[in-house]
Amino acid sequence: MIRTVLTEIGIFLIPFAVYALFLAATRSGLFARSSWPVAIVARLALAAIVLVIAGLIGLAHFSGAPPDSTYVPAHIENGKLVPGAEK
């Protein structure tokens, strides 16, 4: 679960990192307040939210077990632990 959350946080930060790289490449003052106007930050946040939504949709669509599978919980057979699996 934590991996999924950290992945989505990373995806959210991508537009800001790309813009920071752009500022660094153009030597425009990465930490200058004038390089981060509200309109640019709002557009970056909108792009980040769109990326997160696309990531969540992709995660829901392409991960997990097939729709017709049945979960068999972990159990003990012959004294050995058999992990849970989708069958």
Side-chain angles (χ1 to χ4, degrees):
M1 180 67 186
I2 191 74
R3 181 183 67 199
T4 306
V5 171
L6 291 177
T7 300
E8 296 302 325
I9 290 171
I11 290 172
F12 182 82
L13 294 176
I14 287 172
F16 298 99
V18 169
Y19 183 65
L21 287 174
F22 169 76
L23 289 177
T26 59
R27 300 175 192 238
S28 299
L30 178 61
F31 297 108
R33 195 174 189 99
S34 61
S35 296
W36 296 88
V38 175
I40 296 286
V41 173
R43 288 180 187 160
L44 292 172
L46 181 63
I49 290 171
V50 168
L51 285 175
V52 168
I53 290 170
L56 288 171
I57 290 171
L59 181 69
H61 186 70
F62 294 111
S63 68
D68 296 332
S69 65
T70 303
Y71 177 69
V72 178
H75 57 280
I76 304 237
E77 284 184 10
N78 299 327
K80 294 187 179 182
L81 179 65
V82 178
E86 300 286 336
K87 296 190 182 205

